[in-house]
Amino acid sequence: MPPEDEDSEIGLLRRELETSMARNASLEKENGELRQEVARLRAQISTLKAHNNERKSILWKKLQNSMDSNYTIEATQQKPALFANVSGQSPRQDFSDSAAIKERPTRVPNPPPRPPILTSPVSLKDVREYKVSSAPAPPPPPLPSKSLVGSKAVRRVPEVMELYRSLTRKDAHTENKANPAGLPAVALTRNMIGEIENRSTYISAVKSEVETQAEFINFLIREVESAAHIRISDVEAFVKWLDEQLSLLVDERAVLKHFPQWPERKADTLREAACNYRDLRNLKFEVSSFEDNQKEPLSQAQRKMQELQDRLERSVNNTERTRDSTSKRYRDFQIPWEWMLDTGLIGEMKLSSLRLAKEYMRRITKELQSNECSKEENLMLQGVRFAYRVHQFAGGFDAETIQAFEELKKVGLSPTHKCY
């Protein structure tokens, strides 16, 4: 073959390779974005599913209580019930049309919880902002950078990154990321409750409450519309109170749809904020209070700590990714949003991961000291990799974590321990 043909063929192959590599890079980027979107949707589905299950449970209980109470009323009114049976009507039909449902007394709502303004350590400026709820919200301060996370509690440890890089150069398999592969997208399902809605007793109860509970619902409307809080914990208490009041209805959705003035967007946003805060706070507590069980096998203990770190990183990343749009919605409805900053709950969650790093490194150190490790286990590299991961996530180590790292480094790099 002439050299010119060879050069042209090589050039053609080179161009095809470059095109394929560019397309592959574009697909990888798109795949990463889709993974992030799936993770966000999965978290949202879990939240909505939990809330829906809770509402269905309350609905069933209220229906059962309504039926029991009406059966009691029928037992005390034997003559009207007997007349209805003689005329050919069934007891169930009599229950659905009974005056007991249509004449249910108007409920007197309990007052909503009020923030402890006089006893809580709140500045005078915050109290004024709370009282004047109609004042426009001030523009938000710029979001702090990640370097501000726990700047007084942690500091960067260059030795962690240096040791991690030196060990990863020795092992060709350490290019695999510590994060597990993404789970398949959860199929979206709709919970149908048509069977309940088709019952005459249910429809009669809804109509009765629309007629008799208008004052009660209008009171709730005013409370939701005027709700303005300066602490996210106050929002959580208010949402708990609101859900308790709405649970007194036979079906919240069916009744409230007859009241077009119901502030649905604000009520849903209040619930969303309270739910997100509660989930993140509980996760932070779970991580901060984690204790390694020395009786468990090493692999099981490692898996537990890695899964906790995975959940922590996903929750923080999801919050940070949607923080701009979410905080804007919260400000529009006078809902606190500063807890989503690195100086609030999100920063505390990052610092809580130091607990996992300490427990992980101490467990690896103990295994290395037992002289039972093998080259295949590669324990030293596993410990350093996890430490590096937490170091980057939290923005550094505190004094105790640095001490645990130094002990791991001392034991793992000693001549008697070659498990890396």
Side-chain angles (χ1 to χ4, degrees):
M1 179 180 293
E4 298 140 359
D5 294 340
E6 291 181 358
D7 293 340
S8 61
E9 185 175 355
I10 292 174
L12 178 61
L13 292 175
R14 184 182 291 110
R15 286 192 296 273
E16 290 180 355
L17 177 61
E18 292 174 353
T19 303
S20 299
M21 292 178 63
R23 185 170 180 271
N24 186 48
S26 175
L27 291 175
E28 287 181 354
K29 180 181 179 181
E30 184 178 356
N31 186 37
E33 295 175 352
L34 290 175
R35 285 179 181 274
Q36 293 179 353
E37 183 67 16
V38 168
R40 184 186 67 79
L41 292 175
R42 187 184 299 118
Q44 186 176 1
I45 290 169
S46 300
T47 301
L48 294 175
K49 186 180 295 183
H51 184 63
N52 186 47
N53 290 338
E54 183 178 355
R55 292 174 62 184
K56 287 177 63 179
S57 176
I58 294 174
L59 172 62
W60 277 110
K61 290 179 181 178
K62 292 305 167 185
L63 283 174
Q64 186 64 39
N65 293 338
S66 176
M67 294 177 66
D68 292 342
S69 63
N70 281 278
Y71 282 133
T72 303
I73 293 174
E74 286 183 350
T76 59
Q77 298 176 347
Q78 296 179 0
K79 291 183 179 180
L82 179 60
F83 177 80
N85 290 335
V86 170
S87 61
Q89 295 180 347
S90 64
R92 187 177 185 85
Q93 291 172 331
D94 180 59
F95 167 73
S96 63
D97 297 330
S98 64
I101 292 181
K102 297 181 181 179
E103 298 177 0
R104 297 177 71 176
T106 302
R107 296 187 179 90
V108 179
N110 296 325
R114 301 298 180 187
I117 297 178
L118 298 178
T119 59
S120 59
V122 182
S123 65
L124 181 60
K125 178 181 178 182
D126 291 336
V127 174
R128 289 171 180 168
E129 291 179 355
Y130 174 79
K131 290 181 178 180
V132 188
S133 60
S134 60
L143 298 180
S145 62
K146 291 187 177 181
S147 61
L148 296 180
V149 178
S151 56
K152 296 182 180 179
V154 300
R155 65 179 179 87
R156 289 282 181 178
V157 185
E159 292 84 356
V160 176
M161 293 178 280
E162 292 174 2
L163 181 58
Y164 171 74
R165 288 170 183 148
S166 67
L167 292 178
T168 52
R169 281 195 295 266
K170 297 178 182 180
D171 193 332
H173 298 288
T174 55
E175 295 299 326
N176 296 328
K177 296 182 178 179
N179 289 333
L183 298 175
V186 179
L188 302 179
T189 59
R190 279 188 184 179
N191 296 316
M192 305 301 292
I193 56 174
E195 181 180 357
I196 301 175
E197 295 180 344
N198 290 332
R199 295 185 179 183
S200 60
T201 55
Y202 169 81
I203 297 175
S204 299
V206 170
K207 290 181 179 179
S208 171
E209 293 205 328
V210 171
E211 297 172 359
T212 62
Q213 306 304 325
E215 183 178 351
F216 169 75
I217 295 173
N218 286 328
F219 167 79
L220 298 181
I221 290 174
R222 292 191 297 269
E223 289 297 327
V224 173
E225 288 179 338
S226 62
H229 304 90
I230 52 180
R231 290 189 184 87
I232 187 62
S233 56
D234 296 334
V235 175
E236 190 178 13
F238 179 82
V239 168
K240 181 180 179 182
W241 167 85
L242 180 63
D243 286 342
E244 289 174 352
Q245 302 304 308
L246 292 174
S247 68
L248 300 175
L249 302 175
V250 171
D251 184 351
E252 170 190 335
R253 179 186 60 82
V255 174
L256 293 180
K257 73 179 183 180
H258 294 278
F259 294 85
Q261 67 273 32
W262 170 253
E264 182 177 1
R265 287 187 63 234
K266 184 171 183 178
D268 290 345
T269 306
L270 284 166
R271 281 169 163 165
E272 174 194 324
C275 183
N276 290 342
Y277 171 75
R278 181 177 64 249
D279 291 344
L280 293 176
R281 182 195 59 200
N282 292 343
L283 178 57
K284 188 203 81 171
F285 176 79
E286 183 180 356
V287 174
S288 302
S289 59
F290 176 82
E291 292 185 4
D292 180 29
N293 185 0
Q294 298 293 330
K295 296 181 180 180
E296 289 182 344
L298 173 63
S299 59
Q300 185 175 347
Q302 287 178 301
R303 184 167 58 253
K304 276 188 176 180
M305 287 182 269
Q306 289 170 355
E307 289 175 352
L308 266 180
Q309 183 65 20
D310 290 341
R311 289 170 54 196
L312 193 64
E313 291 182 8
R314 281 198 302 269
S315 299
V316 170
N317 291 338
N318 289 339
T319 301
E320 290 180 334
R321 186 172 57 255
T322 60
R323 182 162 52 189
D324 290 343
S325 60
T326 303
S327 61
K328 183 181 183 302
R329 285 193 296 113
Y330 289 0
R331 288 195 301 272
D332 292 342
F333 293 119
Q334 296 177 296
I335 299 173
W337 55 273
E338 293 83 355
W339 57 273
M340 295 189 295
L341 300 177
D342 288 345
T343 54
L345 178 61
I346 295 301
E348 295 174 3
M349 295 182 70
K350 291 181 178 181
L351 293 180
S352 68
S353 64
L354 298 180
R355 174 83 178 187
L356 298 178
K358 285 182 288 188
E359 294 292 332
Y360 200 100
M361 288 188 288
R362 287 170 180 169
R363 183 62 182 267
I364 295 294
T365 302
K366 182 179 179 181
E367 294 293 330
L368 291 174
Q369 290 173 336
S370 68
N371 293 320
E372 297 177 356
C373 61
S374 64
K375 292 182 179 180
E376 287 72 22
E377 292 176 347
N378 214 354
L379 294 182
M380 178 62 179
L381 178 59
Q382 294 177 32
V384 174
R385 182 193 294 124
F386 191 81
Y388 174 78
R389 176 184 177 185
V390 174
H391 180 275
Q392 298 303 102
F393 177 69
F397 282 168
D398 59 8
E400 292 184 4
T401 315
I402 293 175
Q403 182 180 0
F405 173 75
E406 293 294 341
E407 184 66 21
L408 172 65
K409 181 179 177 182
K410 177 182 177 182
V411 173
L413 297 181
S414 64
T416 58
H417 298 91
K418 293 297 183 179
C419 298
Y420 53 88

